[in-house]
Amino acid sequence: MLTTSASVRFTVWTNAMLTGACDPDTAAHRILGDDVGHHVAGLAGHPDPATLPVALNLLRAAGTTQAHLALPVPGDPIGLAGPPAFNEAALETGEAVVLTGPEIGLVPAYVGPSVQWSVLPAASPVPADFGEADRGLRMALIDAAESLAALEVAKWKPEVADALIDIRKIGRGDSDTLAPGYEPRAVKTAATARRCLAIADAALEDDGAAVTGAEADARRRALLELAAAARRALVAACAPPVRA
């Protein structure tokens, strides 16, 4: 689920490190989260997979100035700017991190409670317009309201109903917030985007209260549009904070 994706954590805590808001060890600890371990393979001058603290120091030494989040899906390659090999790998996973300076991208592979990052050449994306993405999310929420209000949790699978309870906690815990240096409005938008992604993810597993095929299709379209707007808003919220 993207609400807890490693790429979100890697992006915001790398940016915090690069702006001096935290040290590499703290950034590595926060990127790790509840995972057992992270390793980064393919870094220049380091033939073996590197642990997070080593990788972050190497990336900073390599001239990294910014980290950008990518949350692409087929038809909506948000955060990607090429080349094709990187785009394909990121699309397959649905998430990635692009680093300005060395112009490389990191694509995660989840292996149980661990994450293996692969390094590929990548171009830095055009910065997302935060205001536009935030407005787009608000409009998508309004458009999807009727469909979401029509959901009948009792008709869902028990595990989906349980997921809805967990959704209310997203963005409230210390591990879910953005890193130091991000403005309050970015933190708020990121939390809203995460909740919307979680709602859409859970709701799309079931047709909810839809009775006819047409109703189910309309509901699915509304949820997909909400998810798309939430991905764009999350990418924009996690963009490198402006240095004072």
Side-chain angles (χ1 to χ4, degrees), residues 10-20 24 31 40 43-44 54-69 97-106 119-120 122 124-125 240 243:
F10 199 110
T11 300
V12 299
W13 284 99
T14 296
N15 280 326
M17 177 193 72
L18 294 172
T19 58
I31 293 169
V40 183
L43 289 171
V54 171
L56 289 174
N57 278 295
L58 288 172
L59 291 170
R60 185 167 61 176
T64 302
T65 58
Q66 294 180 330
H68 304 269
L69 177 64
V97 181
V98 180
L99 302 177
T100 299
E103 299 302 305
I104 57 175
L106 281 67
V119 176
L120 295 168
S124 296
R243 301 193 187 204

Side-chain angles (χ1 to χ4, degrees), residues 13 25 28 36 49 53 76 87 89 145 157 169 175 186 195 198 211 215-216 223 237 242 244:
W13 284 99
D25 287 340
V36 172
D76 187 16
N87 287 0
K157 302 173 185 177
K169 303 175 184 177
S175 62
R195 291 192 186 101
V211 177
E215 290 176 344
L223 290 166
V242 178

Side-chain angles (χ1 to χ4, degrees), residues 167-187:
I167 286 168
R168 301 180 64 182
K169 303 175 184 177
I170 294 170
R172 297 179 182 178
D174 186 51
S175 62
D176 285 325
T177 191
L178 299 186
Y182 282 87
E183 295 184 359
R185 62 174 187 161
V187 173

Side-chain angles (χ1 to χ4, degrees), residues 121 137 235:
L137 178 58
V235 167

Side-chain angles (χ1 to χ4, degrees), residues 183-205:
E183 295 184 359
R185 62 174 187 161
V187 173
K188 182 178 180 180
T189 295
T192 301
R194 287 178 169 192
R195 291 192 186 101
C196 290
L197 281 168
I199 289 168
D201 185 69
L204 286 168
E205 292 185 14

